[in-house]
């Protein structure tokens, strides 16, 4: 297939491909190619003509691309065509030669290409009007130049970086384009080089960029301090962003670079690019060597951020924000998670820094409530790491911890582990509420709300949601272990608001019950029993007092999910188990989509976990429950579909196998 082409040039609507004689003339490359005929052929390929016309044009263009001498026509085409698509076609031919045949070309031809491309770039980018009008063309020429550099630099083009920096100082538009070339070069070497260059060549290019970065660094700082051109500032920040993950660290911390970036952060036009640069810096790790600089950067950043976006307004700001404002909040999530993953310990070390740390965590919790799946995934990934680390430290319970690890100034005389838990008590409590409010749907729940607001049976599993549920479940279990009382109180308080109607909604009840089900086994048995009695009692009451088939179906699915998650509790409380099973039998007559399926699935799950309770006679009963079950069997399964009856009988088989 031909390489990807740019979108059609709107100036060219369509044209007929050349007749056969003209096509043959195009294929004859012994003389300069007929550019108007080539323009017509390219226009026919992109045009709105018939399928046959496009196919004929496609065939000619493929033949030309495959002709080993076609590249010799490129300069002639670029000089004589006004059609952007034709120029792109010529540059694709040239790019292929540079990629695959460059070292086989004579030196004078390589130098000729190199000088011609450089000259055209300088010519177009030295003039503001032509630079803006021909931006797509210049961008493609930049890509071609970088492909040449991958072969020529540093060995055969030693002066490239000094030449580029010198050219950049001659005009602002040339400088802006030089920044674009440097960004492309960095991306080609560090991001896209695998499979296209040998490891030795990649190493050589990286070493050259490192050794010559001082010139680039000076240019960037000079531009950011001197120019008033917003386009040039944006191009420079974008280039710095591409470089920051690999440049020698002294250029970041032992120069005015961070101060310069923070100066641009409050300005709306540069805020996102600056934040992306700061995120790259936040993601770096150098032991303790630059701790002072990191603290300074973070505290100054937080002062600026609070003036730009107060922490309590984030979900609304995102919901009502422009694309740029939404991107800013997404970038904030990346900044905070990168900084905390790598440097949270240095912020714990003094009272002043701890205050700024807690404000940052407050921001990240606010961002976690934003209604965007990708933003939430970024936050959730960090919360899981953060809580796991606290849980593991709490679990190890090391008896002696060196005084040096203590956090000075925190009230209380416990170990460093307890002091950290005390420090994070408030954010952890808010984090529990976040997990309860946003809990993802577990696999067992079959009843969902569709896009029209109707309660329906789920037809297809969403694997992303299941992965998210597993991470949230794990995080909430760690949170529960760190403070069982707070977890229980928050859940029961939220359930009370469902009962009294203050907080009633399908989504609120669902996420709460999924959260309750997810922490099964994280409490000691006595606490779990007390908690479950209150939860199931309240849910059964809610089912009785709530009107409407959809509402009842939602409550039913939540009762079934919760009871299915706590077999230990059901095994220990026969009366509750019997009440639950009879409720499941009631749900088996409920015709609402998904309710019967879920009732049968939950019954099977409970029988598998509590089988002995059904086949032995319980205190206060006249016979084993399985006998009662068989007596009423015909009535129980009366309204079930064949596949549901099959699941029901599978439960009976579980009885037998016990």
């Amino acid at each position: 297939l031909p390489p990807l082409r740019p979108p059609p040039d709107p100036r060219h609507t369509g044209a007929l491909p050349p007749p056969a004689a003209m096509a043959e003339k195009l294929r004859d490359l012994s003389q300069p190619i007929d550019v108007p005929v080539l323009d017509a052929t390219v226009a026919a390929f992109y045009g709105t003509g018939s399928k046959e016309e496009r196919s004929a044009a496609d065939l000619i263009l493929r033949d030309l691309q495959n002709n080993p001498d076609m590249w010799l026509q490129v300069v002639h085409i670029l000089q004589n065509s006004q059609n952007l698509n034709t120029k792109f076609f010529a540059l694709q031919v040239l790019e292929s030669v540079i990629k695959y045949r460059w070292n086989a070309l004579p030196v004078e031809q390589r130098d000729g290409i190199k000088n011609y491309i450089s000259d055209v770039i300088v010519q177009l980018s030295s003039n503001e009007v032509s630079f803006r009008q021909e931006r797509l063309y210049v961008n493609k020429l930049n890509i071609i130049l970088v492909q040449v550099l991958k072969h020529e630099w540093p060995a055969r083009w030693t002066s490239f970086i000094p030449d580029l920096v010198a050219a950049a100082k001659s005009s602002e538009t040339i400088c802006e384009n030089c920044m674009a070339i440097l960004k492309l070069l960095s991306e080609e070497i560090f991001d896209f080089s695998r499979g296209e260059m040998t490891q030795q060549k990649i190493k050589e290019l990286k070493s050259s960029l490192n050794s010559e970065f001082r010139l680039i660094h000076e240019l960037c700082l000079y531009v950011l301090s001197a120019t008033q051109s917003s386009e040039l500032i944006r191009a420079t920040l974008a280039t710095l962003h591409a470089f920051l993950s690999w440049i020698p660290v002294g250029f970041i911390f032992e120069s005015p670079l961070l101060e310069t970036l923070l100066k641009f952060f409050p300005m709306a036009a540069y805020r996102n690019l600056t934040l992306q640069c700061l995120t790259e810096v936040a993601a770096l790790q150098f032991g303790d060597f630059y701790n002072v600089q990191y603290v300074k950067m973070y505290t100054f950043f937080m002062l600026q951020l609070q003036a730009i976006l107060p922490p309590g307004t984030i979900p609304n700001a995102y919901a009502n924000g422009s694309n740029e404002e939404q991107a800013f909040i997404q970038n904030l999530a990346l900044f905070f998670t990168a900084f905390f993953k790598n440097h949270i310990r240095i912020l714990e070390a003094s009272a002043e820094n701890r205050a700024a740390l807690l404000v940052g965590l407050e921001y990240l919790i606010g961002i976690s409530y934003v209604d965007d799946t990708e933003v939430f995934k970024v936050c959730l990934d960090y919360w899981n790491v953060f809580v796991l680390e606290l849980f593991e430290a709490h679990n190890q319970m090391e008896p002696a911890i060196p005084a040096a690890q203590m956090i000075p100034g925190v009230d209380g005389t416990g170990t460093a582990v307890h002091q950290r838990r005390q420090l994070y008590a408030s954010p952890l409590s808010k984090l529990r509420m976040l997990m309860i409010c946003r809990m993802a749907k577990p696999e067992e729940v079959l009843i969902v709300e569709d896009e029209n607001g109707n309660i329906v049976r789920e037809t297809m599993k969403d694997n992303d949601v299941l992965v998210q549920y597993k991470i949230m479940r794990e995080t909430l279990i760690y949170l529960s272990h760190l403070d069982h009382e707070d977890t229980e109180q928050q859940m029961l308080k939220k359930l009370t608001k469902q009962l009294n109607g203050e907080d009633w909604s399908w989504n609120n009840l669902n996420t709460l019950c999924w959260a309750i089900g997810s922490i099964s086994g994280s409490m000691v048995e006595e606490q779990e029993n007390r908690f479950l009695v209150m939860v199931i009692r309240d849910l059964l009451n809610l089912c009785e007092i709530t009107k409407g088939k959809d509402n009842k179906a939602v409550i039913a699915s939540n009762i079934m999910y919760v009871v299915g998650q706590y077999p230990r509790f059901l095994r220990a409380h026969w009366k509750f188990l019997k009440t639950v099973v009879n409720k499941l039998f009631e749900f088996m007559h409920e015709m609402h989509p998904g309710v019967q399926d879920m009732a049968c699935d939950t019954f099977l799950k409970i029988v598998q976990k509590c089988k002995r309770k059904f086949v032995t006679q319980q205190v206060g009963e006249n016979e084993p429950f399985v006998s009662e079950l068989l007596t009423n069997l015909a009535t129980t399964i009366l309204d079930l579909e064949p596949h549901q009856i099959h699941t029901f009988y599978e439960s009976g088989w579980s009885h037998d196998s016990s």
Side-chain angles (χ1 to χ4, degrees):
L1 287 174
L4 287 174
R5 298 185 173 90
D9 186 336
R11 293 172 292 186
H12 298 276
T13 52
L16 291 174
M22 299 295 275
E24 285 312 309
K25 190 180 175 189
L26 273 184
R27 290 187 176 100
D28 176 14
L29 299 179
S30 61
Q31 54 191 335
I33 199 163
D34 189 326
V35 174
V37 175
L38 180 62
D39 280 342
T41 308
V42 171
F45 178 78
Y46 286 114
T48 53
S50 69
K51 187 178 176 184
E52 290 74 19
E53 289 163 359
R54 280 200 303 277
S55 295
D58 183 36
L59 190 63
I60 295 166
L61 295 176
R62 281 173 191 262
D63 286 349
L64 291 175
Q65 274 187 322
N66 293 330
N67 190 314
D69 295 327
M70 177 64 189
W71 75 273
L72 295 165
Q73 303 279 348
V74 167
V75 172
H76 173 65
I77 295 167
L78 294 179
Q79 286 173 337
N80 292 284
S81 176
Q82 297 306 308
N83 183 331
L84 186 60
N85 286 330
T86 304
K87 289 181 178 181
F88 269 83
F89 171 75
L91 289 176
Q92 280 169 346
V93 171
L94 184 59
E95 188 173 16
S96 177
V97 168
I98 294 166
K99 273 187 175 180
Y100 305 116
R101 294 167 52 199
W102 184 257
N103 289 325
L105 300 180
V107 174
E108 58 274 14
Q109 287 186 337
R110 293 200 303 252
D111 286 345
I113 293 172
K114 189 170 77 177
N115 294 333
Y116 176 75
I117 295 296
S118 303
D119 289 347
V120 176
I121 289 173
V122 169
Q123 179 194 332
L124 290 173
S125 59
S126 59
N127 178 297
E128 174 89 27
V129 176
S130 65
F131 182 53
R132 302 293 168 216
Q133 283 179 347
E134 301 275 8
R135 194 59 196 262
L136 277 175
Y137 181 41
V138 175
N139 287 349
K140 185 64 180 177
L141 288 167
N142 289 344
I143 291 168
I144 299 290
L145 182 65
V146 169
Q147 294 297 339
V148 170
L149 282 168
K150 282 157 68 174
H151 294 286
E152 294 289 287
W153 179 71
R156 296 192 292 242
W157 196 352
T158 52
S159 64
F160 169 68
I161 296 288
D163 290 350
L164 189 80
V165 170
K169 291 175 180 173
S170 63
S171 94
E172 289 203 328
T173 46
I174 289 180
C175 186
E176 185 181 332
N177 195 56
C178 287
M179 291 297 175
I181 292 169
L182 287 168
K183 179 172 181 283
L184 273 175
L185 185 60
S186 174
E187 288 170 347
E188 279 292 324
I189 296 173
F190 288 89
D191 300 335
F192 310 132
S193 54
R194 186 166 295 171
E196 290 203 355
M197 292 186 279
T198 64
Q199 289 300 314
Q200 183 58 38
K201 182 64 180 175
I202 294 168
K203 190 176 175 184
E204 185 187 355
L205 291 176
K206 286 182 177 178
S207 171
S208 295
L209 262 184
N210 260 324
S211 63
E212 301 205 61
F213 187 73
R214 184 181 54 77
L215 287 172
I216 300 169
H217 181 256
E218 286 171 2
L219 176 66
C220 291
L221 285 179
Y222 170 70
V223 167
L224 292 176
S225 65
T227 187
Q228 298 299 310
S229 163
S230 61
E231 286 92 351
L232 179 52
I233 292 170
R234 290 177 65 81
T236 306
L237 290 171
T239 301
L240 275 171
H241 176 242
F243 277 74
L244 277 168
S245 62
W246 59 263
I247 62 174
V249 63
F251 287 118
I252 300 174
F253 294 105
E254 294 163 28
S255 81
L257 181 60
L258 279 180
E259 290 165 36
T260 305
L261 288 172
L262 288 165
K263 183 184 81 178
F264 282 101
F265 178 61
M267 303 179 199
Y270 314 121
R271 192 171 292 153
N272 276 317
L273 282 166
T274 307
L275 188 48
Q276 287 170 343
C277 291
L278 293 171
T279 302
E280 287 294 340
V281 176
L284 301 172
Q285 275 186 310
F286 306 104
D288 296 333
F289 200 74
Y290 290 107
N291 282 358
V292 172
Q293 287 90 333
Y294 270 114
V295 169
K296 194 174 167 187
M297 166 182 141
Y298 178 84
T299 48
F300 192 63
F301 173 83
M302 290 306 297
L303 283 173
Q304 291 182 319
L305 178 60
Q306 288 171 81
I308 294 167
L309 181 70
T313 62
I314 293 171
N316 283 338
Y318 189 90
N320 303 315
S322 63
N323 288 344
E324 278 284 302
E325 288 162 340
Q326 291 186 342
F328 176 63
I329 291 171
Q330 291 164 2
N331 289 327
L332 266 185
L334 294 167
F335 172 80
F336 279 123
T337 54
F339 197 97
F340 293 152
K341 270 180 190 171
N342 295 296
H343 310 291
I344 198 165
R345 288 291 193 151
I346 58 174
L347 295 175
E348 293 174 357
S350 76
E352 187 185 351
N353 296 339
R354 283 197 297 275
L357 163 60
L358 293 175
V359 174
L361 289 170
E362 184 81 20
Y363 268 98
L364 194 55
I365 289 169
I367 295 167
S368 304
Y369 277 102
V370 161
D371 188 14
D372 181 286
T373 308
E374 293 310 310
V375 174
F376 185 66
K377 278 182 186 171
V378 170
C379 299
L380 178 60
D381 175 56
Y382 174 69
W383 292 131
N384 182 255
V385 171
F386 173 65
V387 175
L388 172 61
E389 199 254 329
L390 287 172
F391 169 73
E392 284 178 340
H394 160 72
N395 230 25
Q396 284 162 6
M397 299 296 283
E398 291 175 1
I401 293 175
Q405 288 184 25
M406 295 290 200
I407 302 173
V410 175
D411 293 331
T413 55
T415 63
V417 171
H418 289 109
Q419 288 177 329
R420 287 188 84 211
R421 279 183 61 196
Q422 191 176 341
L423 170 64
Y424 293 124
S426 174
L428 289 176
S429 183
K430 289 173 182 171
L431 203 45
R432 287 182 194 98
M433 182 51 71
L434 169 72
M435 293 296 149
I436 293 166
C437 289
R438 295 210 61 169
M439 182 57 73
K441 187 179 77 64
E443 192 170 9
E444 295 88 339
V445 176
L446 304 176
I447 293 160
V448 294
E449 184 178 351
D450 69 9
E451 62 272 17
N452 302 317
N454 301 316
I455 294 299
V456 296
R457 189 194 191 289
E458 183 179 53
T459 51
M460 212 166 77
K461 296 286 178 200
D462 185 334
N463 286 329
D464 282 353
V465 172
L466 296 180
V467 169
Q468 190 173 310
Y469 169 73
K470 283 172 183 163
I471 298 170
M472 294 188 78
R473 175 176 176 269
E474 185 180 276
T475 308
L476 191 54
I477 286 171
Y478 296 144
L479 285 164
S480 178
H481 278 296
L482 287 166
D483 192 335
H484 293 298
E485 293 301 321
D486 185 57
T487 308
E488 180 184 339
Q489 287 312 309
Q490 292 212 47
M491 287 177 168
L492 290 175
K493 191 174 174 185
K494 210 159 166 44
L495 188 53
T496 303
K497 288 183 176 180
Q498 294 296 308
L499 267 169
N500 63 24
E502 184 184 333
D503 202 18
W504 161 256
S505 78
W506 293 341
N507 185 60
N508 288 345
L509 182 67
N510 285 339
T511 53
L512 171 60
C513 290
W514 299 340
I516 289 169
S518 73
I519 60 164
S520 168
S522 66
M523 299 178 182
V524 294
E525 192 166 356
E526 186 185 336
Q527 185 186 12
E528 183 177 275
N529 289 347
R530 189 183 71 247
F531 174 61
L532 253 285
V533 167
M534 289 188 275
V535 167
I536 296 173
R537 184 196 62 209
D538 283 356
L539 286 174
L540 290 170
N541 284 344
L542 189 61
C543 199
E544 292 302 318
I545 61 173
T546 306
K547 302 285 183 274
K549 288 185 86 62
D550 276 357
N551 292 337
K552 284 187 180 292
V554 171
I555 299 165
S557 85
N558 283 309
I559 291 172
M560 291 187 281
Y561 175 65
V562 170
V563 297
Q565 292 299 104
Y566 286 89
R568 180 174 72 174
F569 169 79
L570 295 176
R571 283 195 297 269
H573 298 83
W574 166 249
K575 282 206 158 52
F576 246 99
L577 173 55
K578 187 177 178 185
T579 304
V580 163
V581 169
N582 284 326
K583 198 71 185 170
L584 291 177
F585 292 165
E586 270 183 47
F587 293 150
M588 287 176 193
H589 299 288
E590 175 55 65
M591 295 307 196
H592 202 290
V595 174
Q596 290 171 308
D597 281 311
M598 202 165 164
C600 294
D601 290 350
T602 308
F603 181 53
L604 173 60
K605 188 174 178 181
I606 288 174
V607 168
Q608 287 168 340
K609 297 284 174 62
C610 310
K611 56 181 76 170
R612 296 195 176 280
K613 294 291 166 186
F614 293 96
V615 295
T616 54
Q617 189 170 328
Q618 302 299 317
V619 177
E621 302 289 347
N622 298 324
E623 58 185 356
F625 186 76
V626 68
S627 304
E628 189 180 323
L629 176 66
L630 291 168
T631 305
N632 301 317
L633 181 62
T635 310
T636 306
I637 66 171
L638 183 65
D639 296 319
L640 297 180
E641 297 288 324
H643 72 280
Q644 295 161 344
I645 294 172
H646 178 84
T647 305
F648 191 91
Y649 280 140
E650 194 181 334
S651 310
W653 176 253
S654 296
H655 287 315
D656 291 346
S657 59
S658 68

